[in-house]
Each structure stands twice: as C-alpha cells, then as structure tokens.
Amino acid sequence: MSRLFVTSAVAILLTLSTRAQEVIRSAKSGPWSTSATWEGGAVPAAGARVLIRPGHRVTYDVVSDDVIRSVSVGGVLAFARDRDTSLTVALLRVQPGEDTTESGFDCTLRGHVPTAPQGAATSEMPAIEVGTPNDPIPANHNATIRLAALPGMDPQSFPALVCCGGRLDLHGAPMSRTWVKLGAAVAAGDREVTLREPVTGWRAGDRVILTATTRQMKRAKTFRPSTADSTQTEERVVTAVSPDGTRLTLDKPLAFAHVADGEYRGDVANLSRNVVVESADPDKGRGHAMYHRDSAGAVSYAEFRHLGKEGVLGRYALHFHLCGDTMRGASVVGASFWDSHNRWLTIHGTNYLVVRDCVGYKSKGHGFFMEDGTEQFNVLDRNLAVQAYMAKKLPEQLLPYDENDGAGFWWANSRNALTRNVAAECDEYGYFFQAIESPAFKLAMNVRQPDGTKGVVDIRTLPFVRFADNEAHCQRRHGFNFGGSVPFGTGVNGVGPDAAHPFVISNFRVWNSHWSFHPVAPSLLVDGLDAHDCEYGVWRPAYKDHAYRGVRLDKISVSTEFTPTGRRTPEAQYPGALRATDDLPPATVVTRVAPADGAGGIVVRGTTSDNGEVRRVTVNGVPARSTRGNFDEWELTLSDAAAGPRLTALAEDAAGNVEKTPHVVTRAR
C-alpha cells in the first residue's frame, strides 16, 4: 500500500471524524426530513450533533435506526401525529439557548429563570413534544425514542433524555384504566380472562401481566431475590378484546391459577403504550430520563422500558431531580415502567407531583421511590407496583440506611398522599416508611412548610397528608413496614408526631403475604386493617400511642399479634389518648388546562389532597366540582373573561384551613 494512499485514508477518516463533531443547526422551522430545514441543506444522519435553534419548530417525521449522537433542543422538537416515528439518539436534551455541550445528567444552564411558569401553555419555552396533553399521539400511530449507547460517551450518564429548564411532554393514546382487578378466577391452562370492569384503549398485540395470587416463599430462613422461576406473575400478549371491554384472549395458556375471591383478587395490567422511551440495546447500555428544576411538562400513557442504570445513583427510568416547587402542575398519569435496572419512578427533592394510574413491573431496587426525605405534598394514587427486586445500595446514596432491598413504595417523609395503590410480589416490602437516625446522620432536615417557607424539622414527626385504601398481596416478607428496621428497634427509634397530629392509616388490606403489618412509629391511628391468609398479622408492633378499629385478622396461620411491645388500645376506647387535630391546609395542583367545547372558555382540572374533609376548591374564585372522592379530582369551566391571564387555584377544608400557597398558573399570551 503506498504512503500516499495511507495518508489520504487517514485524511478522510479525520475529515469524517471532524464532520461527526460538527453541529448541524436548524435553519428554519420545518420537517426533520426536509433538507431546507437545516443549515447547509443536509438532513442529520448517523453520528450527527444537532441543534434546534430558539424560535424554530422542527417536526420529527421519520422512522430511523441511525444513531444520532445528540439533539439539543433550544426551540421545539415535535413528533409528527399523522405517522409512526422513531428517533434513535444518545442524548436528547431540551434547555433554553444554543448550548450543545454533551451532559447526560447535570444541566449546563446555570441561574436560569424559566420564561413561562409551570402549568402555563409555555409556548415561549423550548420543548420536546411527543404529543401534548390536549393532542396526544393518536392510537393508530406510534412514537418511539430509542436511547442508544455510543463508544466514547460516559456510560454512567449516557444515553439519556434530559429536560433542563425546558418543557418535556410525552403523551400517548388515553386508556380508561391501565390496570384492573380480575373479574373472575382463572385456572392454569386458561386463555380467557374476565376483568372486573370494562376497559377502553386496550388492543390486540398489547403486552399484559396477571399478578401472582400465591406467594412463593413461606417462612424461609434465607430470603433471596426473586427469580423468574420463583414467581407466579405471568406475562402474555392480548390476541383479542371483547367488544364490551370486559374479556381478554391471551396468546398462550396461563401456567398458574389466579384468584378472584370477594375483595381478594389478582390484577391485570397493560404494559403497552403507543409512546415509548426505551433503551435501544439494553445489553450494551441502558438509558435514563429526567426532569430538572424550572422545567415543565407532563407524562400520560407513555411506556418506559429497559431503562435504568444498575448501581448508578440518579440514573433511573424516570427521575424528577431536585425540582422543589418549580414543577407544581406536573403529573405522570397512566404510564408503564417495566424491566428497569434502577427503580421505576424517583421523586427527589420535588413537591406537588401527581402520579396516578401507573404500572411498575420488574425493578432492581425500590420501585416508586421518594429519595431523600424532603419530598412533600406529592400524590401517588392508584398505582400498581409488581416485583420490585432486591438490589445493592447505591454509591453515595443520600440516605445511608436504605438497603434498596425491594419495596414497591418507599419513603422517608410521610407528608404525602398515598391512596388506592396496590403492591404485589415485591421482594421485601409492599410499602416501607423508613427513617433511621444515627450519630453520623441526622433526620432534622430543612423542608418545605405549608406556608411555603422552609424550616428544620425531624422528618419522623411529619404525619401523612393521607394514607388510605392501599393494598398489598403476595409479599414474601412485609405487606407494610411502618417505621421498623433490622436489627429490630433501630427504626424510627420511638420518634413520631405528637398525639394531636398522629399518623392515620385508613382501610389497609394485605392478603396472601408473610408479615402483614409491622407498625413501629408512635402516634398511630389505624382505621381499618384487613389481613387475610397470612402467616403473621400484626408483627412486632411497638404500641406507643396507637389506636386501632375495624381490625380483621383472618386465616392467620402463625400469630395474629407477634411479640408486641406495649399493649394495643381496645377498639372500644378508640382513639384512646390520640386526639387528631386538623390544622394542615389542603394542597392543590392544577394538572390540566384545556379549551372548552363550544363557545370558548377553558376547562381546568386538578387534584387536591388533605388530611380531612375538603370544603371547597376554587379557581379565580369560581367553585370547582368534585369528580372523584373528596376533591381528589375536580374540574370547572371558566369563560375567557373569568380566566384572565392567570389562574389561582386554592382549597379550604372543613376545619377552616385555607391553602396558604395557592397554585398560580400563567396562561399563554
């Protein structure tokens, strides 16, 4: 080979390498696939670094497996709604400006003040739109973001989908329900499944799971992580849905029976969505998705699969990272998270997030996770957590005592609302409240107060906003560990709220589990506890200012009350020494603003959580109508004149507490 040829080949390779690092910038608004959209007239190809400049709206309109190195969005990247689309990329990031620095975790923007408040139409903010709340991707089309690892990029942070002070909207075709209870028992060998309520939006080809109703580990001396051959949750593909939406036909017969006996029923969950964020090749490098503070947007009916970086702090399937109050109005509704190697959804230093009707299936470590003990006024409502597996502690994790050993729902600060959730077949816990102080680590934290200020409080003393109507079944160990730990006695260490502000647990059901309920935290009212077909009922309770009523312990094979400390107050004396005082104002979130049908105006929807009865919710002084529960969901219609440029939503409860920090939403001009 001649020296001239070698020199020319090297020059060509260097030129190609240089071109790969050049940034292809948008020239104007237009389709991604059109050369006129781009400076230089070249449509981005494999290896490209892309910038969508502020003021430009680019419509992504192709299906491609070519791996784009990075897409920095300073304008708007909107996925087409009239066709299938698929973008394969190592870094997809939205943030104001024209910075194209490659960062798969931290934001490169510092000191940014958002150009539009959270909850507004945010037309001035840079945005990634895979559908919008009012115009999701239609059911007959799919939109996919495939996160692909590339050599030379930091494997701990890439590939990634990151929102830094911009707007990230991911919205697929709605479903009436993403998971429901079994309508009738099914036997091994069955292919037909009856649902307890009809569903819409489920289709042939969807992937579903049927949760186990028989636990696989009883009184074992050594507990081990779950494996595929020690579970009875089953995955199948739907081949047909009955016209009335109450019956499914599956692609293969079921291997196990699944119970539907009165209120003790297995669950059927749909994992498939038509908006997908996934790792392109999970074996070569998994991706993660995250929102940073001062960001905006929401998620509805999107699927997050094969994500999460095992053993890496902060790289979760979906992560709200230190957002504080800045993302009030954000929600995650109807999403599915499955096959995650590092949790499903992490709420870290973030308040007022609404998480509803989501499905989590197979996670290494805890599933729905509130990370550092400062998270408050979040709502986790009607979510399903299945198979959160044991994993190792994460390097430099914020709370040193957390073993990351597989809880469906895990938290250290109880000033949140958890309602109507179900946990099934998780390795260690369905629900775990864990807060352990040591000489080297203190639980007095600077946390948000109801009036919006911050104050140092021992987070063990903060009671629930609400904990009601939750369920656990098929747990190998605890249905609900409330403040305990191993070795015994090292949990909350006798610290809790005072007798006027107790923890209140309402209507908790646990069945077909090992240890039903492990109550250790003091100042506790339990108003409804149903433990059925378990080995232990109330396990190692520490009865310090506890009161119980409506307790049903049925088919408890070993001990209904195992080695208690102190004595439980008789039900006839309920609430005993506890006298709950309601002096906590409600917490309100506007989750959606949409055009009203007909002659103008807007429809405003939201969620309010409270530890008592909500008397009223108003927006700009106009009363809202409760559409579910105690204003758990509400809506109202405002004329354009009544709406004005800003919406102010606040609530008042029956005790006279008025919300001190209303949710204020600025509408698009």
Side-chain angles (χ1 to χ4, degrees), residues 162-198:
V162 184
C163 184
C164 294
R167 174 165 57 90
L168 172 60
D169 271 310
L170 302 168
H171 301 278
M175 299 171 166
S176 60
R177 293 291 195 196
T178 60
W179 63 275
V180 295
K181 289 290 185 179
L182 274 173
V186 291
D190 286 352
R191 289 183 55 205
E192 298 286 332
V193 175
T194 300
L195 308 179
R196 197 175 193 184
E197 58 186 288

Side-chain angles (χ1 to χ4, degrees), residues 122-158:
T122 54
S123 57
E124 299 151 331
M125 297 182 80
I128 297 171
E129 293 180 357
V130 189
T132 66
N134 298 328
D135 290 301
I137 300 296
N140 59 333
H141 293 299
N142 298 314
T144 304
I145 296 172
R146 306 180 70 242
L147 301 176
L150 284 178
M153 301 182 82
D154 180 4
Q156 289 208 330
S157 290
F158 297 98

Side-chain angles (χ1 to χ4, degrees), residues 1 403 517 519 530 543 635:
M1 182 181 294
E403 296 294 331
F517 184 40
D530 180 9
Y543 291 133
E635 71 174 29

Side-chain angles (χ1 to χ4, degrees), residues 424-656:
E425 214 177 36
C426 299
D427 269 350
E428 282 280 348
Y429 314 96
Y431 304 83
F432 195 4
F433 163 54
Q434 188 178 32
I436 302 175
E437 189 169 84
S438 67
F441 182 80
K442 301 301 181 183
L443 290 171
M445 297 185 179
N446 193 25
V447 298
R448 189 194 197 282
Q449 303 302 305
D451 63 0
T453 63
K454 283 196 170 184
V456 177
V457 178
D458 188 327
I459 58 173
R460 293 172 293 183
T461 67
L462 297 176
F464 291 114
V465 174
R466 194 171 167 210
F467 188 96
D469 303 313
N470 296 297
E471 176 184 329
H473 67 88
C474 261
Q475 294 300 136
R476 291 169 178 77
R477 302 196 79 176
H478 299 79
F480 189 0
N481 185 339
F482 189 59
S485 192
V486 177
F488 303 118
T490 63
V492 295
N493 197 29
V495 178
D498 59 45
H501 303 87
F503 293 108
V504 180
I505 294 173
S506 301
N507 302 325
F508 180 64
R509 173 177 292 122
V510 55
W511 55 280
N512 202 271
S513 295
H514 185 67
W515 296 313
S516 301
F517 184 40
H518 181 31
V520 174
S523 296
L524 170 64
L525 284 175
V526 175
D527 191 4
L529 170 63
D530 180 9
H532 170 75
D533 190 21
C534 299
E535 289 170 270
Y536 294 84
V538 184
W539 187 74
R540 292 186 181 271
Y543 291 133
K544 180 182 177 183
D545 293 329
H546 284 204
Y548 295 70
R549 72 178 175 188
V551 175
R552 180 175 183 265
L553 304 177
D554 175 54
K555 294 186 178 179
I556 306 300
S557 61
V558 178
S559 176
T560 56
E561 185 182 63
F562 183 73
T563 62
T565 300
R567 300 181 66 182
R568 176 156 43 116
T569 302
E571 286 200 22
Q573 298 177 19
Y574 182 94
L578 299 170
R579 293 292 184 267
T581 301
D582 184 359
D583 53 13
L584 180 70
T588 296
V589 176
V590 174
T591 54
R592 186 167 173 191
V593 179
D597 294 334
I602 58 171
V603 175
V604 184
R605 296 188 177 95
T607 289
T608 297
S609 57
D610 189 56
N611 61 341
E613 180 184 350
V614 178
R615 177 178 293 163
R616 66 173 64 91
V617 175
T618 62
V619 179
N620 290 2
V622 178
R625 175 177 63 90
S626 178
T627 58
R628 185 185 65 80
N630 183 30
F631 287 92
D632 298 318
E633 296 180 71
W634 52 261
E635 71 174 29
L636 75 161
T637 301
L638 291 175
S639 66
D640 288 325
R646 296 205 312 173
L647 304 175
T648 300
L650 75 159
E652 178 184 357
D653 66 21

